[in-house]
Amino acid sequence: MSKNITTRAEDYSKWYNELVVKADLAENSGVRGCMVIKPYGYAIWEKLQGELDTRFKETGHSNAYFPLFVPKSLFEAEEKNAEGFAKECAIVTHYRLKNDPNNPGKLMVDPDAKLEEELIVRPTSEAIIWSTYKGWIQSYRDLPILINQWANVVRWEMRTRLFLRTAEFLWQEGHTAHATKEEALVEAKQMQDVYVDVVENIMGIPVIKGYKTETERFAGADETYTIEALMQDGKALQAGTSHFLGQNFAKAFDVKFTNKEGKQDYVWATSWGVSTRLMGALIMTHSDDNGLVLPPKLAPIQVVIVPIHRTEEQLQEIGNKADELIAAFKKKGISVKYDDRDTHKPGFKFAEWELKGVPVRITIGPKDLENGTFEVARRDTLTKEIVSAANAVDYIENLLNEIQEHLFTKALNFRETHITEVNSFDEFKEVLKTKGGFLLAHWDGTPETEERIKELTKATIRCIPMDQKAEEGVCVLTGKPSKGRVLFAKAY
Amino acid sequence: MSKNITTRAEDYSKWYNELVVKADLAENSGVRGCMVIKPYGYAIWEKLQGELDTRFKETGHSNAYFPLFVPKSLFEAEEKNAEGFAKECAIVTHYRLKNDPNNPGKLMVDPDAKLEEELIVRPTSEAIIWSTYKGWIQSYRDLPILINQWANVVRWEMRTRLFLRTAEFLWQEGHTAHATKEEALVEAKQMQDVYVDVVENIMGIPVIKGYKTETERFAGADETYTIEALMQDGKALQAGTSHFLGQNFAKAFDVKFTNKEGKQDYVWATSWGVSTRLMGALIMTHSDDNGLVLPPKLAPIQVVIVPIHRTEEQLQEIGNKADELIAAFKKKGISVKYDDRDTHKPGFKFAEWELKGVPVRITIGPKDLENGTFEVARRDTLTKEIVSAANAVDYIENLLNEIQEHLFTKALNFRETHITEVNSFDEFKEVLKTKGGFLLAHWDGTPETEERIKELTKATIRCIPMDQKAEEGVCVLTGKPSKGRVLFAKAY
């Protein structure tokens, strides 16, 4: 297996694209901007889904399913939301093809099958869901509604990249309805914390919790809570958002309820989502020039066993050892693959499993048979050790935990060394150019300044950190007063 | 809880529709022909998905994800398939909305944002998948490809019914590629057997295995294997199909491979799917005039505990007993709900859980506290027993198995008494009219006769049974010779 991937230093963006394709995670399809998620990539996504879904249910949510299509009249009901998504949406206008009389064997849209009302392929489901909730909510007794949906959504992005930005993507979207503002705020923050938990403890990606400026908020939200990660090229990636929607959708769809005092009020809402974009974050946070590096908790294959033999007898003996190992790993819930393909040499296999990011490789060769040992290689550090066969299983169980922690710590160290406090606009530009990463800077709080900084530097305010320190200062651009630093970065 | 559902005898179709809505399974949405699957209905679907997914993986398949959209040029490549779906498909023609100058606050399709090529929302994914497989397959070493996809699909049906026939539905679609015809045939039949396993042993629905006539085959298939179930109103329901696609899609998309002998050949294909339609089959097979009846293996709540008390002290004591039960049930993986709502009377709760089809209800009242007993009610038979608290958990574990088996046996008995061998067309029409169900009749093997019988009776050939007995006979309509009986019925 010749890897032949561009290195990160040569071209980070190219490295990413090649890695996604060569590690069999995903590829571009024949449909503009849409990707095919291949089995190996999908297996990682399924594991991530499982971790999220468990936590959604533990926090009282149920899954449900709402229509793919949003009639135009519902789509436009919440004006800011509509405005935010109108420019990039797929629109169904007809419901039938017919034979093209001018092109035998070809089909054409049947002009007689035009829809009375156009249907928008959902870019997000607030509109269709809140038009449904209207029928479900009369009294405070019907609240809260705590629903999540796993679905595909479509946003007609012009420049797309595998996982990071695709016209169709997979995600989950939570949509909750509450009797009080306080309860909705607690919910929105709770789900931000659920995302922190999964992204840090399962994906091994450290994040900064914060909330968005008005400019960067979700269209239709009163507040957007975000978690921001940092990639190895010094660019930020928004890893998940949770929105406090106020009463905006309740008002747009006239969803009122009778509260405990017997009075009518509009319902309070949240929505929150993460998507297959997280796959991009996963890849870019941990991987290296040899290929993918997967945290053990998401690796479809956690351990691969490669035999090295000269004789058939040796292979037989190695196979027996491998069977014992496999049985012991299965008991512990560790997923393992025995790669005894006779069509490829060990060196090829090593490179292939490295490229695919399998956390641990065990090699068993003739010497190991003699000495009662295995060779154990770590994907994250590319180091090897000789381990006694007798305690190999416990050793590897511990090693998987160690790798999981190490990946997080390594990413955290990188992040910590790439947050810089800057105090002038020159410094801002200089650090952004030479080092990248997160910049903590004072800002005067106006959308105009935010916009101007973006124009001049391409950096945006990723968030106002939840744990923002009170600190008197002056805006790096305008010199106007500021009460605390906000987090800037160039972002995916 | 007043149930107020129409009875089956009054109006079977109305009974079904009301049941789906009142049991909180699904409802119609604001989008023509599309449904909302509510949390309780979705929880059943999730359990069913889990059972299917486990078996797909056990038989060597992996999940993946392909685009929602099919460009028209790919859609029309396999002619029969295109012809089969062209008349009922949703077509995306534009990618942007803009403000409507004539209607302030309203949006309109932006005529400047017309797609160069129309996109069909997938009604099934053979076209998009085989255009992708082309890039994956060069040699026999790349085969087989064994992939499944969980997805939404859209077929623009004009007359829709919740779960049974909706414009958008959820399903899984397996798409496999093989080096030989024999291997593809084995795969197609294997997946038919997987469906039999899940539908009979998990859903409790007996099915007849068979294959479709040419007329009833999937558009683009050389053979369609089917499993056919019988509903309580005597109508058949196709519960799952598995298609042997021959080399049709390989030829349409030019997917060739080098075989072991070094020669080029087209790849052999299968596809197979079941959908949320199975939810309709589940409901119609087991439920009664009191509401839903769920097999324990798919019930989101298997046991509900309802307290009956006069004093707060009693409620406290009952709560303690319930806690013990819940802990014991959880250990055994039995899902249980303690319904201690103080807003509703026991009678209301009984009716509600009956309507929702919870297999077992435990009532704990003052007498039970005195006697160390519980009252246990079965949903399927509506019978009650007093059970000693000491062995209640084992008793209920067995009872759940018994209910699962009983539902299957009951449905099987119904099916067996509703298969009739008929030997003349008069008898055919008479039985169809008075009794319904499956008719085993001789047919001359021609599409013309099949069509004529359908016109005259609305009955179709559901399948040619896999275990068809060789039996000389004459066609019920034409009197021409026949070598065995085929299965007719009116169908959903």
Side-chain angles (χ1 to χ4, degrees), chain A residues 417-476:
Chain A
T417 55
H418 288 78
I419 302 190
T420 314
E421 288 195 358
V422 294
N423 295 304
S424 72
F425 200 56
D426 282 341
E427 203 187 345
F428 188 109
K429 287 184 288 186
E430 178 65 18
V431 172
L432 199 64
K433 195 174 155 189
T434 54
K435 187 181 173 189
F438 287 125
L439 308 184
L440 277 166
H442 281 284
W443 160 62
D444 65 17
T446 68
E448 294 73 25
T449 303
E450 188 180 4
E451 182 60 31
R452 185 76 185 127
I453 293 175
K454 186 177 172 183
E455 278 168 23
L456 292 169
T457 66
K458 291 188 181 150
T460 50
I461 301 180
R462 303 315 306 150
C463 68
I464 301 157
M466 297 301 243
D467 62 354
Q468 189 194 39
K469 272 179 290 181
E471 181 192 276
E472 299 284 333
V474 295
C475 175
V476 283

Side-chain angles (χ1 to χ4, degrees), chain A residues 62-66 136 146-147, chain B residues 24-25 37-44 46 300:
Chain A
S62 302
N63 290 328
Y65 190 76
F66 296 85
W136 296 1
L146 303 172
I147 284 182
Chain B
D24 269 341
L25 300 174
I37 306 179
K38 298 180 77 171
Y40 194 62
Y42 200 85
I44 300 170
E46 274 183 318

Side-chain angles (χ1 to χ4, degrees), chain B residues 184-423:
Chain B
L185 279 166
V186 167
E187 165 77 9
K189 286 177 192 164
Q190 170 186 257
M191 299 323 289
Q192 183 190 33
D193 285 337
V194 166
Y195 291 153
V196 171
D197 177 20
V198 171
V199 174
E200 294 204 328
N201 300 322
I202 304 299
M203 304 184 74
I205 304 175
V207 291
I208 291 175
K209 282 170 66 175
Y211 55 97
K212 291 285 186 187
T213 61
E214 199 183 334
T215 314
E216 297 282 336
R217 250 177 232 154
F218 176 75
D222 282 356
E223 200 77 88
T224 287
Y225 300 101
T226 182
I227 58 175
E228 298 285 328
L230 191 65
M231 304 294 101
Q232 292 179 62
D233 63 346
K235 282 171 79 176
L237 187 144
Q238 177 181 303
T241 48
S242 181
H243 316 294
F244 168 65
L245 302 173
Q247 295 175 313
N248 301 332
F249 285 91
K251 285 178 181 165
F253 292 97
D254 192 34
V255 188
K256 286 183 195 163
F257 73 107
T258 309
N259 65 21
K260 282 189 182 167
E261 290 72 43
K263 287 186 186 152
Q264 289 276 296
D265 194 6
Y266 286 107
V267 178
W268 298 86
T270 83
S271 69
W272 29 274
V274 297
S275 74
T276 37
R277 190 162 209 243
L278 281 179
M279 294 286 294
L282 184 75
I283 296 159
M284 287 204 294
T285 300
H286 304 302
S287 302
D288 63 24
D289 295 342
N290 293 308
L292 204 59
V293 176
L294 288 175
K297 287 186 183 171
L298 290 180
I301 303 166
Q302 295 172 306
V303 178
V304 64
I305 304 172
V306 178
I308 299 184
H309 64 286
R310 262 167 266 120
T311 68
E312 275 307 306
E313 244 183 357
Q314 283 170 350
L315 182 62
Q316 182 66 44
E317 214 180 321
I318 293 169
N320 294 341
K321 295 277 173 202
D323 285 346
E324 284 171 30
L325 272 178
I326 291 167
F329 282 139
K330 286 210 167 146
K331 266 193 200 155
K332 290 191 179 273
I334 296 170
S335 62
V336 53
K337 185 181 178 72
Y338 181 46
D339 182 3
D340 60 350
R341 287 176 292 173
D342 58 6
T343 45
H344 296 92
K345 300 229 160 117
F348 179 97
K349 294 177 184 176
F350 291 178
E352 180 172 346
W353 298 118
E354 257 172 45
L355 175 61
K356 291 203 157 186
V358 175
V360 170
R361 183 186 76 227
I362 297 175
T363 313
I364 316 179
K367 270 209 179 150
D368 296 307
L369 292 179
E370 275 173 38
N371 303 337
T373 57
F374 303 131
E375 185 193 88
V376 176
R378 280 174 73 152
R379 175 63 186 90
D380 59 338
T381 54
L382 295 170
T383 53
K384 292 181 215 170
E385 277 198 81
I386 302 298
V387 174
S388 153
N391 61 2
V393 174
D394 287 342
Y395 177 87
I396 281 164
E397 190 181 27
N398 289 330
L399 184 59
L400 289 170
N401 290 331
E402 198 180 316
I403 293 171
Q404 182 79 31
E405 281 173 34
H406 173 248
L407 288 177
F408 178 76
T409 308
K410 195 179 160 196
L412 185 62
N413 287 339
F414 178 83
R415 210 263 316 270
E416 292 306 311
T417 54
H418 287 79
I419 302 189
T420 314
E421 290 195 357
V422 294
N423 295 304

Side-chain angles (χ1 to χ4, degrees), chain A residues 35-103:
Chain A
M35 67 180 158
V36 172
I37 307 179
K38 298 182 79 172
Y40 194 61
Y42 200 85
I44 300 169
W45 174 243
E46 274 183 318
K47 289 203 149 204
L48 186 54
Q49 280 189 299
E51 297 286 349
L52 288 160
D53 200 69
T54 301
R55 285 163 179 79
F56 296 160
K57 284 173 179 156
E58 281 168 0
T59 46
H61 303 86
S62 302
N63 290 328
Y65 190 76
F66 296 85
L68 170 67
F69 300 127
V70 188
K72 189 173 76 65
S73 56
L74 295 181
F75 183 85
E76 66 198 3
E78 210 292 321
E79 273 185 46
K80 281 190 187 165
N81 190 252
E83 199 188 307
F85 291 101
K87 283 173 202 139
E88 46 176 36
C89 60
I91 308 161
V92 176
T93 56
H94 291 75
Y95 60 86
R96 192 164 62 222
L97 293 167
K98 65 171 193 174
N99 291 321
D100 185 343
N102 300 318
N103 286 300

Side-chain angles (χ1 to χ4, degrees), chain A residues 169-200:
Chain A
F169 57 87
L170 302 183
W171 78 346
Q172 60 68 217
E173 46 182 327
H175 294 274
T176 69
H178 304 267
T180 66
K181 177 177 178 177
E182 292 66 36
E183 198 184 292
L185 279 166
V186 167
E187 166 76 9
K189 286 176 192 165
Q190 170 187 255
M191 299 323 289
Q192 183 190 32
D193 285 337
V194 166
Y195 291 153
V196 171
D197 178 20
V198 172
V199 174
E200 294 203 329

Side-chain angles (χ1 to χ4, degrees), chain B residues 21-35:
Chain B
V21 172
K22 295 206 174 176
D24 269 341
L25 300 174
E27 64 183 35
N28 286 306
S29 76
V31 191
R32 204 204 64 83
C34 295
M35 66 181 158

Side-chain angles (χ1 to χ4, degrees), chain B residues 119-231:
Chain B
L119 300 174
I120 318 305
V121 181
R122 64 182 163 216
T124 181
S125 299
E126 280 78 7
I128 192 77
I129 287 178
W130 277 88
S131 72
T132 306
Y133 281 0
K134 185 175 166 58
W136 296 1
I137 301 169
Q138 278 87 42
S139 138
Y140 70 92
R141 285 189 202 88
D142 301 320
L143 297 171
I145 294 177
L146 304 172
I147 284 183
N148 174 62
Q149 164 170 281
W150 290 98
N152 53 344
V153 287
V154 172
R155 297 176 185 177
W156 209 257
E157 307 275 359
M158 277 303 153
R159 300 182 60 180
T160 60
R161 289 189 69 191
L162 291 168
F163 289 124
L164 295 170
R165 197 171 289 276
T166 47
E168 181 192 15
F169 57 89
L170 303 183
W171 78 345
Q172 60 68 217
E173 47 181 327
H175 294 274
T176 69
H178 305 267
T180 66
K181 178 178 177 177
E182 291 65 37
E183 197 184 294
L185 279 166
V186 167
E187 165 77 9
K189 286 177 192 164
Q190 170 186 257
M191 299 323 289
Q192 183 190 33
D193 285 337
V194 166
Y195 291 153
V196 171
D197 177 20
V198 171
V199 174
E200 294 204 328
N201 300 322
I202 304 299
M203 304 184 74
I205 304 175
V207 291
I208 291 175
K209 282 170 66 175
Y211 55 97
K212 291 285 186 187
T213 61
E214 199 183 334
T215 314
E216 297 282 336
R217 250 177 232 154
F218 176 75
D222 282 356
E223 200 77 88
T224 287
Y225 300 101
T226 182
I227 58 175
E228 298 285 328
L230 191 65
M231 304 294 101

